[in-house]
Amino acid sequence: MKQTQMKTFIKTGLMVLFFGFVYVAEPILELKTLNTELQEAALFGVGSDEFEPFKEATGAESLKSKIQWALYIAAGLLILVLAYVFDVASYAQKLTGRKIADANKINAWMLLIFLGVGMYFAAWEFVVHGPETKVYNSSSEHGVDYDNMFMITLIFTAIVFVATQVLLFVYSFMYKKSETRKATYYSHNNKLEVFWTIIPAIVLTILVLRGYAVWKNITYENPNSKNAQEIEVFAYQFGWTARYPGADNKFGAHSFNYISGTNSLGLAVESEVETFKEELKKDTSDYIAKINSIDTYLSELNAKVKDFKKLANFKGVEDTEKEIARVLNGEYKMDLELMLRRRTKQLERMALVEMNKEEYKATFNGSVHDDMITKEIVVLKNKPVKLKFRSRDIIHSAFLPDFRVQMNCVPGMNTEFTFVPTKSTDEIRKEKNNEEYNYYLYCNKICGQAHFNMKIKFVVVETETEYKTWIAAQKPAYPMQLPGSEKEEEINSPVENQVEESVVIIQSNNKKSI
Amino acid sequence: MSTTSHLETETHGHDDHHGHEHHKETFISKYVFSMDHKMISRQFLITGIIMGCIGVFMSILFRLQLAWPSESFGIIETFLGKWGKDGILDPNFYLALVTIHGTIMVFYVLTAGLSGTFSNLLIPLQIGARDMASPFMNMLSYWFFFLSSIVLISSFFVETGPASAGWTVYPPLSALEKAMPGSGLGMTLWLVAIILFIVSSLLGGINYISTVLNMRTKGMSMDRMPLTIWSFFFTAVLGLLSFPVLLGAGLFLIFDRSFGTSFYLSDIYLNGIGALDNVGGSPVLYQHLFWFLGHPEVYIILMPALGITSEVIANNARKPIFGYTAMVISLLGISFLSFIVWGHHMFITGMNPFLGTVFMFVTLIIAVPSAVKTFNYLATLWKGNIRFTPAMLFAIGLVSLFITGGLTGIYLGNAALDIQLHDTYFVVAHFHLVMGSASIFGMFAGIYHWYPKMFGKMMNNTLGYFHFWLTFISAYVVFFPMHFMGLAGVPRRYYEFTLVPEFGIWMDVNVVITIAAIVGGLAQVFFLYNFFVNIFKGEKATQNPWQSNSLEWTTPVEHIHGNWPGPLPVVYRGPYEYSVPGRELDYYPQNIPSDGEDDIHHTETVKVDEPTIETPTTEVDSSKVLFASFAKLFGLNRA
Ligand code: HEM
Ligand SMILES: [Cu+2]
Ligand SMILES: [Cu+2]
């Protein structure tokens, strides 16, 4: 019974794999025409240092993938053949009545081999990929403490890892079943158990105390928190903008109520807010008008359907009929009412600020007029910087791995991170021997389709003069307007531009044709 | 409790029509709406396996994208249609796949599929009960789970796609329909599915707890319960206390989504809509509520696997489990601590950093009981006489993966180190090893070990060995390199790594990982074949194929209602009396009286008088005192 089962399984498997193999065999024959380097990279990509992922031609790329498919199938074949051999052994055993392969012994040996090979590859990983991990290569002051903490933890865990894994596999091997021996009856030993409870407890206490010291200094007892240069980092789907406080070193107030097409950060700029209020009011009356004229809208739609039918525009007919259904089941009206409520509430909230004189003054105090909005973050080496995070829509996370910095950006909440960059962009470029290397701040909290593509350049300059030159080149986004002067030219909607940019990027990445 | 049995029905059942309490079994009442715990456990298992196949298949689809970004794969278009136009995975759908993969694996496979299966199978059998305390609730529990699975899968067929905000579904992303397509109807279905799931697991949990506390057979005092039962018991307690919080979190989210409340929303401006009118809520509140469940959840997943491992290791090493008391205390410690460590998922979410300190302290404490468990497993292997059944191999694999994945928890529990590691591939590596792979291995160990009990047939060992080795190797090859990627700052939930050229160095690693994932996925074919074919064609199981001590092996191979044809067995000793000195056989079943030497096949000869209490070692240790007081605490010691 067992025998036939195994055979059916193997036969079916072999058949499937054979056809698969034939299907992909063709590109393998073509492989001869490729140069050997590419073959190596394609087949055993791991070890090759000069492997350049972005420079391969697409033809080779797809070929490569076919080769890999062939590899899986080959692996599958190998497995099945092994299975067959394995079972032939047990078959022979049945026929001859002699033990040819003792599964228990084979497995015991396999465990031992697994331990050896596994440890080798773990070590290999540390040697090959360890250097890529940025440990001991951080570009910030607290990064050094971080790396030390990491190393201590690594040493401790590595010892425990090796010790326990070795014991696990070696015991399994040593005490494999033997007919001549009986297991030792040994059910507990309180002293031993206390011992191995206390040892981890002590080690963990050491780790936790150190971790506490590092964490405290990075966060709530950060010595630089008071004197750091402040920069506001603003996150939105899908991009970042930065705001510098300008000469007065004070950020102008902001509110999500003030966010508009021309005021993407929602800053308290009086003129902007006034025009925006007018827009909102107009929106409100538009919505009211629409709600009151649903009947006319419906007859318009009906007329449209007729027109489309005449033109044989079926897509048009379909869409319009969908819309009619929406109107008829009340969804259309509900949506309008929701929008109306949103606008009215928003106006109410804005009015509340105006009614309270104190608050109004504090909000529109003019410190916004020298604020600068930039599309990259530039900071000075060795000078503490405090990034203050805001989010427009959903949670994002500002992640600067080179600096060991990460903090979530939460709508309706202020978060911040203070640190001291200690390596300028030029230095890191030299160190990495890569003229194009840049620091980036990227998003590390799932936020939608272009999450993987949401970054802003982070530049650390070497000298004060460089920094000053850069700052001088930035223009305030909403300069104080002299009465009668024309409005500044459009420099101030970086957000909208970037949104479009990232969408374009996604599309090109997808090689999508619309 | 009804003791209606097969035997009765067969002998004189077919000619009565009505008027008797026992009803005739129809196909529906036997296989579909069954109230028999053994059938329900099979239902949980098979549903879990099917969900598992779906989850693994999804992971392979998105792994293709990660290894060969924007490469065209026919298979993607075939399966995903408009989401995989020209064979290229849509970025939104990448997130949908990741989300549903995570949800299925965590809840459907490893919560219901693992704990649901084995709690149902083993609790009555190992404590000597005829069925669960409430067979009807037990049946409901399965059907809520089934319904929940259907709802979740159906979300693939809605126009805007299934939920895509990650398995943690953080609002505002998950709350705002306009934030991503997956937050539309798909998200609603996700929430409905999870609520049904919570109902299912509460119904199950209440049942498990009351069965363990009230229905132990004579002599089965709490300190004689197998560790499997202890682990299912603590798991059920954890679930009972934490799932309602998720229910609350989910309901608030539903309110925010559909009824205009602002539990989690404040100060939001959405492209294309403008400022929303929600003010005063906090997205961080959701995270607190979610992780209050979320952390216990990882132990809900892991503890049954650890319990199964204890049983399988002791049985196959032919040794008593080392430090039974310590094992129970560490389960207790883990259960308690797991309720106060949730904040370690939130160090950098804007939570007050001082709170972070507190959570860091308690989190690292939880490593101590975990370490104790590991050492005890090692001590159990020491000087054993180990039999490498596939179940035993999977149990050893579990210990290995648990060590590897557990150690990286020490990094993540450290608030300072988490700054860099949070939400990177380091986390993906960590939880896949310690929670994902380890628990899956526990589940496989359980399946190979109790298959003869579940289906009355044997599985093929050779196929089992191939399954184990391929799965074990590929688990390490897939997840070990991810640690290094994470350390270099490679974020998780990224559709592709073209953001910065720096990530380029990981492209080849991604290829290796994907190949290993595919091999690992294919290895499951060995298992599926072995599992499903042997239900029909396997060799018939013997009464006690693993020479085990515990009570489940004293029931007949053919399932009957009420489990034991005669009176319930009486228990005379703990479950781990293997290789007792002076005994010829290397095991000593729980139900054999001390004088009635060696006759294992005579369950009927069990004496019903008071069991003599046995202390094999002279030390009467503190453990007895502990259990006595524990039992007193519940007022429920029936021994
Ligand atoms: C074939 C085996 C598996 C492979 C190759 C695999 C692969 C992955 C990968 C690469 C991710 C991260 C994707 C991303 O963040 O962009 C992921 C996410 C996840 N996986 Fe798996 N996985 C496997 C099995 C499992 C198992 C057994 C579990 C059980 C706990 C599991 C649970 C999860 C969870 C919870 C997530 C997080 C989902 C999220 O980010 O929302 N996976 N998987
Ligand atoms: Cu993001
Ligand atoms: Cu946790």
Side-chain angles (χ1 to χ4, degrees):
Chain A
M1 179 96 60
K2 187 175 153 194
Q3 211 47 46
T4 48
Q5 207 178 316
M6 192 71 199
K7 273 195 184 141
T8 335
F9 178 73
I10 289 166
K11 266 187 220 151
T12 333
L14 281 175
M15 211 125 82
V16 172
L17 284 176
F18 178 73
F19 285 115
F21 214 44
V22 170
Y23 175 72
V24 284
E26 185 198 312
I28 296 183
L29 298 178
E30 269 172 45
L31 189 63
K32 286 190 201 109
T33 61
L34 287 170
N35 65 51
T36 39
E37 248 170 59
L38 188 60
Q39 272 182 48
E40 259 202 312
L43 287 168
F44 308 106
V46 197
S48 58
D49 301 343
E50 295 110 311
F51 182 50
E52 284 169 300
F54 293 107
K55 293 191 180 155
E56 273 173 83
T58 35
E61 192 74 53
S62 85
L63 174 57
K64 187 179 121 194
S65 103
K66 286 233 174 82
I67 294 170
Q68 253 122 10
W69 278 108
L71 270 185
Y72 313 144
I73 293 172
L77 268 174
L78 189 74
I79 291 160
L80 280 169
V81 168
L82 275 174
Y84 190 66
V85 168
F86 215 105
D87 228 59
V88 160
S90 74
Y91 192 56
Q93 183 176 319
K94 262 191 201 148
L95 279 183
T96 58
R98 267 190 310 132
K99 252 198 153 95
I100 289 179
D102 176 355
N104 217 58
K105 267 211 188 106
I106 295 179
N107 277 304
W109 276 102
M110 296 268 285
L111 284 169
L112 200 63
I113 294 168
F114 181 85
L115 175 71
V117 176
M119 282 294 167
Y120 173 79
F121 274 107
W124 182 85
E125 278 278 279
F126 271 93
V127 174
V128 175
H129 288 134
E132 309 286 357
T133 57
K134 303 198 164 110
V135 178
Y136 279 121
N137 199 9
S138 91
S139 303
S140 66
E141 201 177 83
H142 74 271
V144 178
D145 297 336
Y146 180 100
D147 290 346
N148 285 334
M149 178 76 239
F150 188 90
M151 263 309 161
I152 294 171
T153 314
L154 180 64
I155 290 168
F156 160 70
T157 48
I159 293 171
V160 178
F161 174 78
V162 173
T164 46
Q165 298 279 11
V166 166
L167 286 184
L168 175 68
F169 288 99
V170 168
Y171 280 173
S172 302
F173 175 75
M174 277 168 69
Y175 301 111
K176 60 184 173 295
K177 187 181 169 84
S178 135
E179 299 298 342
T180 56
R181 198 163 47 82
K182 209 173 165 183
T184 310
Y185 183 87
Y186 185 46
S187 70
H188 67 288
N189 177 337
N190 289 353
K191 272 197 200 123
L192 198 59
E193 286 169 59
V194 168
F195 172 75
W196 65 45
T197 310
I198 289 189
I199 294 297
I202 291 173
V203 177
L204 285 166
T205 312
I206 296 170
L207 290 180
V208 92
L209 287 177
R210 260 202 82 100
Y212 166 66
V214 177
W215 170 248
K216 185 178 71 165
N217 281 336
I218 295 175
T219 55
Y220 56 101
E221 281 181 20
N222 192 320
N224 296 318
S225 172
K226 291 256 154 52
N227 54 7
Q229 146 95 63
E230 296 192 349
I231 301 169
E232 185 189 81
V233 178
F234 183 78
Y236 56 87
Q237 276 180 322
F238 298 98
W240 305 88
T241 38
R243 177 158 68 118
Y244 283 72
D248 64 354
N249 237 341
K250 266 198 209 121
F251 288 110
H254 60 76
S255 160
F256 81 112
N257 292 320
Y258 303 150
I259 298 178
S260 70
T262 51
N263 184 6
S264 57
L265 297 187
L267 302 183
V269 185
E270 250 167 322
S271 54
E272 286 288 336
V273 171
E274 282 310 314
T275 34
F276 185 45
K277 236 164 45 192
E278 291 313 310
E279 263 172 53
L280 289 178
K281 279 184 191 145
K282 188 170 164 300
D283 269 9
T284 324
S285 46
D286 283 356
Y287 287 128
I288 293 176
K290 272 188 185 161
I291 291 174
N292 289 335
S293 61
I294 289 184
D295 289 342
T296 3
Y297 183 57
L298 196 59
S299 46
E300 266 171 40
L301 286 175
N302 281 327
K304 231 170 158 185
V305 172
K306 268 186 207 137
D307 288 351
F308 278 136
K309 274 189 182 150
K310 261 184 225 147
L311 297 171
N313 180 346
F314 300 114
K315 179 93 177 63
V317 174
E318 205 178 287
D319 289 349
T320 325
E321 274 173 353
K322 255 191 209 155
E323 181 71 4
I324 291 175
R326 234 166 63 85
V327 175
L328 288 178
N329 67 19
E331 227 176 276
Y332 173 75
K333 188 167 172 219
M334 263 165 52
D335 282 356
L336 286 176
E337 281 169 348
L338 180 63
M339 287 309 289
L340 179 62
R341 193 174 77 221
R342 282 179 178 146
R343 297 288 186 266
T344 335
K345 284 263 180 77
Q346 188 173 4
L347 281 166
E348 275 169 21
R349 287 193 301 264
M350 289 159 91
L352 270 180
V353 176
E354 277 166 38
M355 272 176 341
N356 181 337
K357 281 235 168 64
E358 297 284 306
E359 197 180 339
Y360 186 79
K361 253 197 211 147
T363 312
F364 294 92
N365 61 3
S367 61
V368 76
H369 291 296
D370 59 354
D371 290 3
M372 291 164 296
I373 298 176
T374 64
K375 280 202 214 170
E376 56 181 22
I377 306 172
V378 176
V379 298
L380 179 57
K381 183 178 146 184
N382 289 336
K383 184 151 182 262
V385 52
K386 181 191 273 184
L387 302 181
K388 307 182 80 156
F389 301 108
R390 272 178 70 201
S391 167
R392 184 174 79 178
D393 32 41
I394 55 177
I395 302 175
H396 301 271
S397 185
F399 185 31
L400 281 154
D402 295 272
F403 299 90
R404 311 272 182 271
V405 169
Q406 185 174 197
M407 183 50 74
N408 283 9
C409 314
V410 186
M413 206 170 140
N414 299 316
T415 53
E416 56 182 47
F417 201 111
T418 308
F419 65 104
V420 186
T422 51
K423 234 180 244 169
S424 69
T425 300
D426 286 342
E427 278 170 323
I428 190 88
R429 282 180 178 169
K430 247 178 239 135
E431 194 177 286
K432 300 230 173 209
N433 217 348
N434 175 358
E435 270 312 299
E436 270 143 48
Y437 190 87
N438 275 311
Y439 293 129
Y440 284 105
L441 181 158
Y442 35 87
C443 182
N444 196 18
K445 183 62 81 189
I446 182 171
C447 61
Q449 81 160 350
H451 168 51
F452 69 96
N453 215 341
M454 175 170 163
K455 65 176 177 192
I456 181 171
K457 203 199 266 178
F458 190 91
V459 182
V460 183
V461 295
E462 190 77 43
T463 59
E464 185 102 36
T465 40
E466 270 176 277
Y467 181 71
K468 286 211 170 114
T469 335
W470 181 80
I471 274 282
Q474 309 302 312
K475 279 196 208 126
Y478 305 97
M480 189 71 95
Q481 276 175 42
L482 300 172
S485 77
E486 283 298 299
K487 219 177 156 220
E488 275 286 320
E489 88 262 43
E490 292 287 305
I491 53 161
N492 44 21
S493 59
V495 170
E496 304 313 316
N497 293 342
Q498 279 201 1
V499 171
E500 268 160 36
E501 250 169 54
S502 59
V503 171
V504 170
I505 291 169
I506 296 169
Q507 285 171 351
S508 63
N509 275 335
N510 285 347
K511 295 179 196 153
K512 257 195 187 150
S513 50
I514 297 167
Chain B
M1 194 177 318
S2 144
T3 49
T4 315
S5 72
H6 245 17
L7 300 171
E8 239 178 300
T9 330
E10 264 161 32
T11 46
H12 58 87
H14 53 274
D15 49 12
D16 342 305
H17 300 292
H18 41 76
H20 287 258
E21 322 65 295
H22 63 242
H23 60 109
K24 222 172 159 181
E25 284 198 305
T26 61
F27 179 81
I28 299 271
S29 74
K30 183 160 180 212
Y31 293 104
V32 184
F33 294 108
S34 170
M35 292 200 225
D36 185 293
H37 70 101
K38 299 180 290 299
M39 181 56 70
I40 294 174
S41 93
R42 296 192 227 171
Q43 291 173 327
F44 265 110
L45 181 57
I46 289 174
T47 317
I49 288 177
I50 292 169
M51 292 300 274
C53 294
I54 298 174
V56 167
F57 183 64
M58 283 177 185
S59 74
I60 288 173
L61 288 185
F62 65 70
R63 279 283 358 154
L64 287 177
Q65 160 64 25
L66 288 176
W68 299 284
S70 303
E71 184 86 39
S72 174
F73 289 97
I75 186 173
I76 288 184
E77 184 159 19
T78 316
F79 279 95
L80 304 180
K82 72 168 173 175
W83 303 105
K85 252 206 192 107
D86 304 329
I88 295 166
L89 185 59
D90 179 273
N92 271 315
F93 209 73
Y94 172 83
L95 295 178
L97 284 177
V98 170
T99 303
I100 303 297
H101 159 77
T103 310
I104 285 185
M105 285 302 188
V106 169
F107 292 113
Y108 292 75
V109 180
L110 291 177
T111 305
L114 172 58
S115 138
T117 303
F118 290 104
S119 299
N120 262 307
L121 178 73
L122 295 179
I123 289 178
L125 289 179
Q126 288 195 331
I127 65 171
R130 299 224 182 256
D131 205 315
M132 283 288 175
S134 166
F136 179 70
M137 261 164 70
N138 210 20
M139 177 189 82
L140 280 187
S141 160
Y142 172 73
W143 285 103
F144 270 104
F145 166 57
F146 183 78
L147 202 62
S148 163
S149 314
I150 299 289
V151 174
L152 187 77
I153 297 300
S154 71
S155 69
F156 271 93
F157 303 98
V158 303
E159 167 120 33
T160 46
S164 328
W167 80 280
T168 53
V169 297
Y170 280 5
L173 182 59
S174 62
L176 306 173
E177 207 174 322
K178 288 274 154 36
M180 73 195 305
S183 294
L185 184 57
M187 188 64 219
T188 307
L189 289 173
W190 191 94
L191 284 165
V192 171
I194 288 302
I195 285 173
L196 291 171
F197 186 88
I198 293 171
V199 172
S200 153
S201 80
L202 292 181
L203 287 170
I206 293 171
N207 231 334
Y208 306 153
I209 293 172
S210 43
T211 309
V212 170
L213 289 181
N214 294 313
M215 298 180 61
R216 280 168 287 131
T217 185
K218 199 170 178 102
M220 179 59 85
S221 54
M222 291 195 101
D223 59 343
R224 286 176 179 173
M225 292 196 315
L227 286 169
T228 35
I229 302 298
W230 275 111
S231 70
F232 300 146
F233 176 69
F234 284 128
T235 302
V237 173
L238 284 189
L240 199 61
L241 295 178
S242 63
F243 268 116
V245 179
L246 181 67
L247 182 67
L251 288 180
F252 290 164
L253 188 51
I254 289 182
F255 289 162
D256 274 6
R257 288 169 52 79
S258 311
F259 306 118
T261 56
S262 311
F263 289 104
Y264 307 132
L265 306 175
S266 188
D267 295 27
I268 292 168
Y269 174 97
L270 264 191
N271 243 350
I273 288 188
L276 304 188
D277 60 351
N278 308 75
V279 280
S282 162
V284 177
L285 169 65
Y286 173 85
Q287 301 176 17
H288 281 293
L289 294 176
F290 181 86
W291 288 112
F292 188 83
L293 159 94
H295 193 81
E297 171 66 20
V298 308
Y299 288 101
I300 290 174
I301 287 174
L302 189 63
M303 282 204 305
L306 293 177
I308 289 171
T309 304
S310 308
E311 176 75 25
V312 171
I313 286 190
N315 175 269
N316 286 297
R318 312 307 291 161
K319 270 191 70 185
I321 192 82
F322 189 82
Y324 177 87
T325 319
M327 291 300 239
V328 176
I329 295 176
S330 32
L331 283 178
L332 181 70
I334 289 175
S335 308
F336 172 71
L337 288 170
S338 70
F339 277 107
I340 50 173
V341 298
W342 79 88
H344 62 215
H345 298 271
M346 299 171 60
F347 288 133
I348 55 144
T349 54
M351 181 178 76
N352 184 333
F354 180 73
L355 266 182
T357 314
V358 179
F359 282 119
M360 164 164 65
F361 274 86
V362 273
T363 299
L364 293 197
I365 296 176
I366 215 171
V368 175
S370 310
V372 170
K373 287 198 83 80
T374 309
F375 293 141
N376 282 1
Y377 286 135
L378 296 180
T380 308
L381 292 175
W382 181 71
K383 290 204 172 173
N385 198 14
I386 303 170
R387 203 166 56 185
F388 294 108
T389 60
M392 182 62 173
L393 288 171
F394 274 105
I396 292 173
L398 177 146
V399 178
S400 170
L401 292 162
F402 181 60
I403 294 170
T404 313
L407 285 172
T408 50
I410 294 174
Y411 299 71
L412 294 167
N414 185 325
L417 295 183
D418 191 51
I419 295 172
Q420 173 88 352
L421 302 175
H422 183 81
D423 263 342
T424 62
Y425 264 83
F426 193 89
V427 177
V428 178
H430 160 72
F431 73 71
H432 273 97
L433 287 173
V434 76
M435 167 176 87
S437 310
S439 308
I440 287 272
F441 273 52
M443 185 165 167
F444 282 134
I447 294 173
Y448 281 103
H449 193 76
W450 280 290
Y451 190 87
K453 190 81 265 168
M454 283 186 120
F455 297 101
K457 302 284 173 63
M458 302 300 284
M459 284 176 100
N460 179 314
N461 273 356
T462 314
L463 286 176
Y465 293 141
F466 278 97
H467 175 218
F468 167 75
W469 282 107
L470 288 170
T471 312
F472 192 42
I473 293 168
S474 57
Y476 268 115
V477 178
V478 169
F479 298 118
F480 198 77
M482 287 187 187
H483 291 114
F484 295 87
M485 296 171 68
L487 266 177
V490 177
R492 73 194 267 210
R493 293 164 174 169
Y494 264 32
Y495 167 71
E496 59 182 35
F497 299 110
T498 44
L499 173 68
V500 286
E502 277 302 284
F503 291 156
I505 51 173
W506 301 105
M507 291 306 282
D508 42 5
V509 179
N510 268 327
V511 170
V512 172
I513 291 177
T514 299
I515 295 174
I518 292 172
V519 171
L522 287 178
Q524 305 317 308
V525 175
F526 285 81
F527 169 73
L528 293 174
Y529 183 88
N530 203 351
F531 183 90
F532 285 106
V533 170
N534 281 321
I535 292 178
F536 306 103
K537 298 201 165 163
E539 267 173 78
K540 199 164 178 302
T542 52
Q543 178 70 31
N544 188 355
W546 316 122
Q547 295 86 39
S548 174
N549 285 342
S550 39
L551 292 183
E552 74 271 27
W553 302 105
T554 62
T555 63
V557 176
E558 295 287 337
H559 289 178
I560 57 168
H561 271 319
N563 296 338
W564 285 270
L568 289 175
V570 174
V571 169
Y572 296 92
R573 67 188 60 74
Y576 296 115
E577 298 299 299
Y578 288 106
S579 304
V580 177
R583 236 182 102 81
E584 197 188 321
L585 289 178
D586 66 352
Y587 63 119
Y588 204 171
Q590 288 187 278
N591 63 324
I592 302 292
S594 312
D595 38 325
E597 267 295 315
D598 292 358
D599 204 350
I600 29 153
H601 298 295
H602 281 225
T603 40
E604 295 88 348
T605 61
V606 161
K607 286 181 211 146
V608 196
D609 49 19
E610 271 301 307
T612 45
I613 292 184
E614 274 231 323
T615 30
T617 42
T618 42
E619 265 177 278
V620 177
D621 50 343
S622 49
S623 70
K624 284 267 181 313
V625 182
L626 182 102
F627 284 113
S629 48
F630 196 78
K632 241 182 218 150
L633 194 70
F634 289 102
L636 288 159
N637 201 350
R638 317 186 87 223

